[in-house]
Amino acid sequence: RAREWSLGTMRVRAVFNPARAVSSAARTDKASIASRPCFLCPQNWLEGQEGVKCCDSRYDVLVNPFPIFDRHFVIASRRHEPQAIGGRVADMWQIATELEGYTVFYNGPRCGASAPDHMHFQAVRSAELPLWEALPPAIEKATTVKATGLPIDAIVVDTTSAEEADRLINCLLPSLPADNEDEEPRFNLLATATGTGVRMIVIPRPQHRPSTFTADPTDPDGMMISPASVDVAGVIVIPRHIDFERLEENIIRKIYTETCKMPC
């Protein structure tokens, strides 16, 4: 089931998906991570899961076991190493060119990643995400522009090479939100091939979760909505039916303002 609103130039769709409670309410503190096996390491894959190698065989493309869309993939590093974008922007650029028609996205360890202990991207069809249609056409040269008219803050980076993407994204990172607990700035990053290169979107994240968030499925007051890349790109995934029914435009704006807009 889905509901839809228009917020500025971007359509926002809410999707009721009970199976996503596993991801939305995932405990990502160090103790919780240490107490469970890593489900992205091959020896712990779900029965029947198979991988297709990509990006010069450095990653496995896997079926997401808790999908948001009918084609939703996890792109996991073949090595068990922490979720961190350092040294990976060029990989993301290359994967976006290999998966034409798809959006490759990165959730930071405190910005929606439910497996912050294992480096991974995800991918869904670009047509599923309203954010892309709310932006002007891609430019055929290296540019960095702040998007306007959106309910979130977003920086659009157009590039024609992986080297340009790496340079521009790394120039932006020092300006993004961070505190003493963060190993890297807090942001979501999305990328899709344009025909002349790759367009990347950087979304700063002042907060991981909004003040409305609850991880308790019986809590009648909070909402189990924890934004990651898909949510901030215009598809809000809601595991609880009560939250799906009571979601309103003012609540969406509050969630976006708290988690995706930099203070003036």
Side-chain angles (χ1 to χ4, degrees):
R1 297 181 57 195
R3 301 171 60 200
E4 192 168 296
W5 298 262
S6 292
L7 275 67
T9 60
M10 188 169 83
R11 291 184 301 111
V12 176
R13 187 164 68 254
V15 177
F16 175 50
N17 186 335
R20 288 295 294 183
V22 174
S23 179
S24 296
R27 296 181 64 87
T28 57
D29 59 281
K30 291 183 180 179
S32 298
I33 294 297
S35 68
R36 58 127 175 97
C38 176
F39 53 86
L40 293 181
C41 286
Q43 65 269 26
N44 301 319
W45 288 353
L46 293 178
E47 183 178 356
Q49 178 74 275
E50 296 183 6
V52 176
K53 293 179 178 59
C54 75
C55 196
D56 301 323
S57 298
R58 294 195 299 274
Y59 297 83
D60 286 307
V61 181
L62 309 170
V63 173
N64 192 314
F66 301 103
I68 298 171
F69 306 105
D70 62 348
R71 296 186 185 180
H72 185 173
F73 303 105
V74 177
I75 304 163
S77 171
R78 294 184 61 80
R79 299 173 58 186
H80 183 78
E81 46 200 348
Q83 183 81 338
I85 199 64
R88 305 276 187 169
V89 173
D91 289 352
M92 189 175 185
W93 197 97
Q94 181 177 335
I95 294 168
T97 63
E98 293 180 18
L99 296 179
E100 188 175 354
Y102 279 77
T103 292
V104 179
F105 59 90
Y106 170 80
N107 292 328
R110 294 184 64 202
C111 301
S114 55
D117 55 328
H118 192 121
M119 176 62 206
H120 67 285
F121 301 106
Q122 296 182 61
V124 300
R125 287 180 292 188
S126 295
E128 303 279 11
L129 302 177
L131 175 59
W132 296 118
E133 65 184 32
L135 299 173
I139 299 174
E140 296 181 22
K141 62 180 180 178
T143 58
T144 302
V145 178
K146 184 176 180 180
T148 60
L150 302 175
I152 60 172
D153 282 344
I155 303 165
V156 182
V157 180
D158 284 321
T159 58
T160 58
S161 72
E163 292 74 22
E164 287 177 348
D166 185 71
R167 176 176 60 83
L168 292 175
I169 296 299
N170 280 289
C171 284
L172 287 172
L173 294 187
S175 66
L176 302 178
D179 58 38
N180 293 334
E181 296 180 21
D182 296 325
E183 285 129 11
E184 68 178 19
R186 294 191 302 274
F187 66 100
N188 297 108
L189 182 62
L190 301 93
T192 192
T194 63
T196 59
V198 170
R199 166 165 279 189
M200 290 183 156
I201 310 293
V202 179
I203 300 171
R205 295 293 301 272
Q207 288 185 203
H208 176 191
R209 285 167 166 161
S211 58
T212 53
F213 176 76
T214 181
D216 180 357
T218 65
D219 182 353
D221 299 317
M223 302 185 82
M224 194 180 285
I225 299 176
S226 180
S229 290
V230 166
D231 307 84
V232 300
V235 181
I236 299 177
V237 184
I238 306 180
R240 298 197 312 176
H241 189 261
I242 184 175
D243 299 335
F244 176 78
E245 291 291 347
R246 64 181 173 167
L247 190 66
E248 298 176 351
E249 180 178 327
N250 65 316
I251 298 175
I252 298 172
R253 289 189 180 277
K254 176 179 174 66
I255 291 170
Y256 279 162
T257 297
E258 290 181 354
T259 61
C260 305
K261 289 187 77 71
M262 295 288 286
C264 295

